Every structure is written in structure tokens, then in C-alpha cells.
């Protein structure tokens, strides 16, 4: 079977990365988490003491930023300039600031190019916000994963509890709604569904069901 590009977009906590990782493993594809790239860039900018909305300073920093994904279990490692930031980029100081960095034109241009290079050979499952619209507009499979704000906050709440993080559910709902707003109203590459993407609403679906549905779509596209 030919190895294609699979684009998975959708709002925060819709289950994109969980589902994308499983699909990549089942198909023997590479998984690329583009959100981690925006998070890693936010980390690099903070380390460099750059104001997160200073597009010119970010533009100057980006050519020197080395960003690598290293396969590992249970999760891929994210390495920035030689430092393993896999865990650090999930901390609130990154999560609450990444939207600002992701709205800067130079950052989007640079990371889009890196993502296109990673995906060029096919055999890739890439998740993000603008993969089907901007990064891989010709991807043969485009999925738009959705779930209600309440359901997404609940999922994040459960994940947090496992990690010993105690943010109240209402706060998570507010944070998710705020991130949705920022991601979908920014000028460049806002979160929007590509016209040819297939929507999968996961609000009342389990992970297995979502994976099965997407694999059916992949099967049809590669048949
Ligand atoms: O999926 P995530 O929460 O790790 O994404 C982190 C941030 O990066 C989020 O605010 C949206 C942004 N992002 C983006 O603008 N474009 C992408 N392709 C992926 C993520």
C-alpha cells in the first residue's frame, strides 16, 4: 500500500495526538506533533529572553534553533538545541504563552517549512491546527477532530489528575475556550476546517472508535 500524508487538525484536547500516535504505529508511519514544535519554539524564545510577540527577534532566532524529534517509548522526545524539553513544553508557562508565539508570521513560516520537509516523503501522520489548510494542502486524508469544550476539559482534567496537577474543571474549561478563540481568530493560518476534511466528532466516542473510523477513511483513500 502506498504511504500517504495524513493531516489531523482540530482544537486543543480533541484527542489529536493520542489518536495520531496510534494510527502512525498501526500503519508504520512517522508521527509529527506540530503543536510540540510551537511549544519548543516558545521554550527557545523564553530561554533567549525574547519577548514572545517580537516577530523580528524570533525571526533572527529561528535559523539558530535546532529542533529534533527522537523516537522513544512511551513517547517521542523533543530536543531543542540539545536539551530534552519533552516534559518542560507541557508546563503551564509554555501552554499559556504558546498562542502568542504561534501567531507570529516568522514563526509560522519557519515551522511550516520544517513540517513540509518532514512530510515530504509521505508515510506521515501530522497533527496540528493548519495541517490540512496550509502545511499539507494536498494531503489525501484530512481529518478534523472535534469535541465539546466540556468534554475536552474533562479529558484534560483526568490527564492532569494522573500527573498530580490539580486545576479545577471550570478553570480548564475557561482555558480551553480562550485557546480556541486565540487559535481560530489569529490572522495567519487560523484553526479552520479544510473544505475537503472529514469531521469526526469525538465527544461521545472512545479512542478505539475514533481510530477505527480514521483507519477506514485511510483505507478508502489508499485503495
Ligand atoms: O496542540 P497543542 O496544544 O500542543 O498546540 C500548542 C499551540 O500551538 C496551540 O496554541 C496551537 C498552536 N498550534 C498552531 O498554531 N498550529 C499548529 N499546526 C499546531 C499548534
Amino acid at each position: 500500500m502506498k504511504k500517504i500524508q495524513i493531516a489531523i487538525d482540530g482544537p486543543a484536547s480533541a484527542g489529536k495526538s493520542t489518536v495520531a500516535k496510534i494510527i502512525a504505529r498501526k500503519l508504520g508511519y512517522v508521527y509529527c506533533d506540530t503543536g510540540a514544535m510551537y511549544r519548543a519554539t516558545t521554550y527557545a524564545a523564553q530561554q533567549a529572553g525574547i519577548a514572545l510577540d517580537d516577530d523580528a527577534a524570533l525571526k533572527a532566532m529561528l535559523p539558530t534553533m535546532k529542533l529534533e524529534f527522537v523516537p522513544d517509548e512511551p513517547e517521542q522526545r523533543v530536543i531543542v538545541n540539545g536539551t530534552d524539553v519533552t516534559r518542560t513544553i507541557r508546563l503551564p508557562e509554555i501552554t499559556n504563552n504558546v498562542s502568542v508565539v504561534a501567531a507570529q508570521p516568522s514563526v509560522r513560516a519557519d515551522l511550516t517549512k520544517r513540517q513540509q520537509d518532514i512530510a515530504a516523503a509521505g508515510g506521515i501522520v501530522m497533527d496540528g491546527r493548519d495541517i490540512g489548510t496550509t502545511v499539507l494542502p494536498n494531503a489525501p486524508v484530512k481529518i478534523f477532530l472535534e469535541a465539546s469544550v466540556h468534554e475536552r476539559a474533562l479529558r484534560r482534567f483526568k490527564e492532569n489528575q494522573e500527573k498530580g496537577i490539580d486545576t479545577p474543571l471550570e478553570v480548564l474549561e475557561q482555558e480551553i475556550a480562550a485557546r480556541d478563540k486565540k487559535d481560530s481568530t489569529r490572522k495567519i493560518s487560523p484553526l479552520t476546517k479544510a473544505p475537503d476534511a472529514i469531521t469526526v466528532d469525538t465527544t461521545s466516542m472512545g479512542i478505539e472508535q475514533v481510530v477505527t473510523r480514521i483507519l477506514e477513511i485511510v483505507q478508502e483513500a489508499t485503495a
Side-chain angles (χ1 to χ4, degrees):
M1 216 193 294
K2 68 174 186 271
K3 292 204 160 192
I4 60 164
Q5 296 172 335
I6 301 174
I8 303 185
D9 290 301
S13 301
K16 296 184 300 289
S17 64
T18 308
V19 164
K21 267 180 228 164
I22 298 173
I23 289 174
R25 192 172 305 138
K26 286 194 186 255
L27 295 174
Y29 281 22
V30 171
Y31 165 58
C32 178
D33 173 357
T34 63
M37 297 172 79
Y38 287 94
R39 289 170 180 271
T41 305
T42 305
Y43 169 87
Q46 286 176 339
Q47 289 296 304
I50 292 171
L52 302 182
D53 60 352
D54 187 342
D55 190 53
L58 289 163
K59 188 174 185 176
M61 177 197 83
L62 284 160
T64 67
M65 181 180 78
K66 191 166 177 224
L67 182 52
E68 299 159 276
F69 286 110
V70 178
D72 197 10
E73 288 299 332
E75 59 186 344
Q76 220 169 43
R77 318 296 310 168
V78 184
I79 315 286
V80 180
N81 299 327
T83 303
D84 185 334
V85 297
T86 314
R87 283 287 142 89
T88 314
I89 59 171
R90 304 291 159 194
L91 295 175
E93 54 260 43
I94 300 287
T95 302
N96 296 331
N97 288 306
V98 59
S99 290
V100 178
V101 174
Q104 305 309 315
S106 305
V107 174
R108 297 217 73 86
D110 182 282
L111 295 190
T112 297
K113 171 78 174 61
R114 293 185 199 222
Q115 290 154 13
Q116 288 169 338
D117 290 346
I118 293 170
I124 183 107
V125 184
M126 186 168 273
D127 77 6
R129 304 293 192 286
D130 61 339
I131 310 306
T133 52
T134 305
V135 180
L136 306 176
N138 299 319
V141 170
K142 297 182 186 177
I143 307 291
F144 196 78
L145 274 196
E146 276 181 344
S148 68
V149 171
H150 178 71
E151 173 64 23
R152 288 186 279 138
L154 206 57
R155 289 177 191 168
R156 189 51 63 95
F157 183 75
K158 286 180 192 155
E159 270 170 32
N160 280 354
Q161 283 201 318
E162 280 162 24
K163 293 182 199 154
I165 304 170
D166 269 333
T167 314
L169 184 61
E170 306 76 65
V171 173
L172 292 176
E173 282 185 342
Q174 284 159 12
E175 283 176 4
I176 286 180
R179 250 191 335 135
D180 281 0
K181 183 148 188 261
K182 275 191 205 151
D183 290 341
S184 50
T185 56
R186 67 162 175 252
K187 285 207 192 83
I188 310 166
S189 288
L191 168 67
T192 40
K193 178 180 172 295
D196 53 347
I198 297 175
T199 299
V200 179
D201 185 336
T202 72
T203 304
S204 51
M205 282 171 97
I207 290 165
E208 297 254 313
Q209 272 178 296
V210 179
V211 168
T212 305
R213 174 76 190 108
I214 295 175
L215 287 175
E216 279 166 13
I217 296 167
V218 173
Q219 186 96 46
E220 279 164 29
T222 52

